[in-house]
Amino acid sequence: MHLTTRQLFISHVVLLAGGGFQSALAKASSSTVSLSYIARLYSMGTSTSGKKVVMKNKWNTLEVETNSRRAWINGVMIWLHHPCRKSGSSWAVREVDFKKTIDPILRSYAYVPSKAPSVVVLDPGHGGRDSGAVGTRKVYEKKAVLSIANRVKGHLEARKIKVRMTRADDTYLTLKQRSDYAAKAGADLFVSIHADAAGAASANGIETFVLTAPGCDSSNHYGQAGNKSAGKGNTYDAANAILGFSIQSNLIKTAKRSDRGLRRARFAVLKQAPCPAALVECGFLSNPEEEALMIDANYREAVARGISNGIIGYITLVNRARK
Ligand SMILES: [Zn+2]
């Protein structure tokens, strides 16, 4: 009990130490944060567009869909843990979404870790006897994602960033072996690379996952019961959102596929990650058009450029915040 009080006290002091903005932020300690409060905080003008509340300043645009978990920052979709609901006379988002998604992305300098990332661990999904998704033309996820990961590695190494891969060939690894490898390699960032599959062939586009906040529902399992406990990866909640957003924004730009958004999931590799981590889904092997793209060298290259630009973007944010 004593320890909890002490920890709370310390985090409050840290929060207030940043000056005016931080003390204003500390007042947002109720369980919801109204959109009018957020607009004031960022000096954003507010308008509405259909179901969306649109808030805008010189640098950023934040759009929140009412009665929905969807929001957009600078045009890139993000999934909130809870829907934006009417609270009194104003629309409001839950505090967890403000503190772990919206504010970290809009004011990343206040949230990024102080240590500059030097080792990036790339994790091509599946391998060996685990093929992952297999398309109707027999395109294997395990092969496509290894090829993309190798290209990402090339781009990062060209920028003098140290890269380690959980697998460099068609090897089977358990999920635990992947996060253990990241810890042993001294990973400062962990990015798992996958391709999607869905029951409906029409499902298409790109999505990036980061770990769900403790106690909340994941994006694809809303309202379902399940283990909502915290994992090691939750230590990096804010940095996870910054990394995931950077990757998703860059990836939809280079791959030019539809934006399914930055989402939340409790994938084992994210839950056990020893550092900020994201899991990228580069397209749907169950969609004939995207299956064809996954064996197209130009598309793989575009995806790899998007992922590496996202990682470099995150590293740039950390380095800038340190100055
Ligand atoms: Zn996969």
Side-chain angles (χ1 to χ4, degrees), residues 137 139 144 147-148 151 255 257 285 288-304:
R137 295 192 194 183
V139 176
S147 153
I148 291 167
R151 289 170 185 270
R257 302 303 300 170
L285 285 172
E289 190 187 344
E290 291 191 346
E291 183 186 13
L293 285 174
M294 294 297 287
I295 42 169
D296 175 347
N298 291 324
Y299 182 75
R300 288 182 181 181
E301 179 58 21
V303 164

Side-chain angles (χ1 to χ4, degrees), residues 125-126 130-133 141-142 145 193-197 279-281:
H126 313 280
D130 171 16
S131 312
E141 179 182 355
K142 65 173 185 177
V145 296
I193 303 173
H194 287 253
D196 248 326
L279 184 146
V280 186
E281 296 279 6

Side-chain angles (χ1 to χ4, degrees), residues 17-39:
F21 195 97
Q22 294 289 16
S23 60
L25 192 57
K27 284 182 196 143
S29 56
S30 56
S31 63
T32 62
V33 182
S34 73
L35 297 190
S36 52
Y37 177 89
I38 292 174

Side-chain angles (χ1 to χ4, degrees), residues 1-313:
M1 193 63 178
H2 178 75
L3 233 169
T4 314
T5 315
R6 196 184 152 83
Q7 281 169 338
L8 270 174
F9 177 72
I10 289 168
S11 71
H12 225 74
V13 169
V14 171
L15 198 64
L16 288 165
F21 195 97
Q22 294 289 16
S23 60
L25 192 57
K27 284 182 196 143
S29 56
S30 56
S31 63
T32 62
V33 182
S34 73
L35 297 190
S36 52
Y37 177 89
I38 292 174
R40 275 202 308 281
L41 210 53
Y42 300 131
S43 303
M44 285 173 157
T46 305
S47 60
T48 52
S49 167
K51 280 183 67 194
K52 288 183 194 171
V53 176
V54 182
M55 288 158 281
K56 205 173 172 155
N57 65 19
K58 216 163 95 185
W59 305 277
N60 295 302
T61 305
L62 167 64
E63 298 164 272
V64 181
E65 194 169 63
T66 53
N67 288 317
S68 157
R69 284 180 299 142
R70 298 196 306 171
W72 290 261
I73 292 178
N74 300 331
V76 179
M77 193 197 288
I78 53 173
W79 287 78
L80 305 175
H81 292 91
H82 301 277
C84 166
R85 298 278 193 218
K86 197 101 191 193
S87 168
S89 60
S90 179
W91 292 99
V93 293
R94 295 286 277 272
E95 191 182 24
V96 64
D97 286 313
F98 178 68
K99 287 192 169 169
K100 298 201 170 195
T101 306
I102 296 171
D103 200 42
I105 293 170
L106 286 175
R107 293 192 315 121
S108 47
Y109 58 86
Y111 290 87
V112 285
S114 52
K115 181 183 180 276
S118 61
V119 180
V120 175
V121 169
L122 299 175
D123 175 43
H126 313 280
R129 61 185 152 93
D130 171 16
S131 312
V134 183
T136 48
R137 295 192 194 183
K138 297 272 170 282
V139 176
Y140 280 55
E141 179 182 355
K142 65 173 185 177
K143 281 190 195 166
V145 296
L146 179 59
S147 153
I148 291 167
N150 276 322
R151 289 170 185 270
V152 174
K153 182 175 186 271
H155 288 302
L156 295 178
E157 285 177 344
R159 300 286 292 258
K160 308 261 183 286
I161 297 165
K162 237 182 259 165
V163 178
R164 301 282 179 270
M165 307 245 290
T166 53
R167 69 177 177 96
D169 54 26
D170 191 19
T171 305
Y172 174 80
L173 291 169
T174 64
L175 298 172
K176 187 174 181 303
Q177 282 175 318
R178 294 168 198 265
S179 28
D180 286 352
Y181 176 86
K184 243 192 6 218
D188 297 305
L189 289 179
F190 178 87
V191 178
S192 194
I193 303 173
H194 287 253
D196 248 326
S202 57
N204 70 91
I206 281 170
E207 53 198 5
T208 302
F209 288 89
V210 291
L211 184 59
T212 315
C216 294
D217 285 312
S218 295
S219 304
N220 297 356
H221 303 279
Y222 196 58
Q224 285 179 18
N227 185 350
K228 296 182 187 175
S229 64
K232 200 192 291 175
N234 284 117
T235 319
Y236 313 100
D237 274 340
N240 291 340
I242 299 166
L243 173 67
F245 184 79
S246 182
I247 291 176
Q248 179 71 6
S249 330
N250 280 284
L251 195 45
I252 56 172
K253 241 184 262 166
T254 56
K256 298 185 171 68
R257 302 303 300 170
S258 67
D259 175 15
R260 298 174 62 87
L262 173 64
R263 294 176 183 232
R264 300 276 176 173
R266 283 193 181 86
F267 295 135
V269 288
L270 298 181
K271 204 166 178 179
Q272 297 312 323
C275 59
L279 184 146
V280 186
E281 296 279 6
C282 310
F284 281 76
L285 285 172
S286 48
N287 175 273
E289 190 187 344
E290 291 191 346
E291 183 186 13
L293 285 174
M294 294 297 287
I295 42 169
D296 175 347
N298 291 324
Y299 182 75
R300 288 182 181 181
E301 179 58 21
V303 164
R305 246 187 312 115
I307 296 171
S308 47
N309 288 349
I311 293 169
I312 292 163

